[in-house]
Amino acid sequence: MKATQNPATGVQVTPADLLRCAALYLRRHGWHQGTYYAPTTDTLTPPACAAGAIGIATAGHKVEHFSQLDPSALADYLAAMATFVDYLDDFHPLFDIDEDGFVIDEHTSPYSWNDDPSRTAYQVVTALERAAERWDRLHTQEGGN
């Protein structure tokens, strides 16, 4: 085994796990708007937007292009993002409307939601944590399994 490879643990990482890790990352390293990561060269752990934090939680490092993740990590990232979008759709809907007043996109963009000028770091961290809690409620069987 190469030194860079992690041994298999047999533990399944859920979207809820990644969302909680993303929230923790933002608490520790800061939140950012406008791009995945704050432009900086002096740290490997820059402030991040919600999507950037989910990417770091998934890969363990900054990810500039999520399509470059290996298929398993990309699937984990997309599942966590879908879980976050589902939560935003239900609790923080933000729709794009065209000039005729019609809804362009029925799903809340996590990027637009994160970058809303009135958004706060607290709101983003809280939404990530609540999305994780919701995933657990929906995917945990009664009886603790």
Side-chain angles (χ1 to χ4, degrees):
M1 179 179 290
K2 294 182 180 180
T4 58
Q5 290 179 319
N6 294 324
T9 62
V11 175
Q12 178 69 26
V13 176
T14 69
D17 296 328
L18 294 175
L19 294 171
R20 283 190 189 90
C21 287
L24 179 60
Y25 181 89
L26 294 178
R27 286 183 192 276
R28 289 185 175 170
H29 304 288
W31 170 66
H32 180 68
Q33 290 181 296
T35 57
Y36 286 126
Y37 311 107
T40 180
T41 58
D42 62 345
T43 181
L44 294 175
T45 55
C49 73
I54 294 169
I56 287 176
T58 303
H61 55 80
K62 269 181 25 175
V63 180
E64 297 296 335
H65 301 284
F66 293 100
S67 61
Q68 294 175 342
L69 291 171
D70 69 66
S72 176
L74 180 59
D76 289 344
Y77 172 78
L78 294 174
M81 285 294 287
T83 299
F84 189 50
V85 168
D86 287 346
Y87 173 82
L88 293 176
D89 281 349
D90 289 345
F91 296 97
H92 302 280
L94 180 70
F95 301 108
D96 290 330
I97 308 291
D98 68 13
E99 64 268 0
D100 296 323
F102 293 103
V103 175
I104 297 171
D105 188 0
E106 295 181 16
H107 295 291
T108 303
S109 164
Y111 311 103
S112 297
W113 183 84
N114 181 89
D115 293 347
D116 184 309
S118 66
R119 189 74 49 230
T120 67
Y122 176 80
Q123 291 171 326
V124 175
V125 169
T126 300
L128 288 165
E129 290 170 342
R130 289 188 179 158
E133 291 166 4
R134 183 173 189 233
W135 190 93
D136 284 339
R137 277 194 310 277
L138 294 173
H139 294 88
T140 302
Q141 297 176 2
E142 287 186 34
N145 264 359

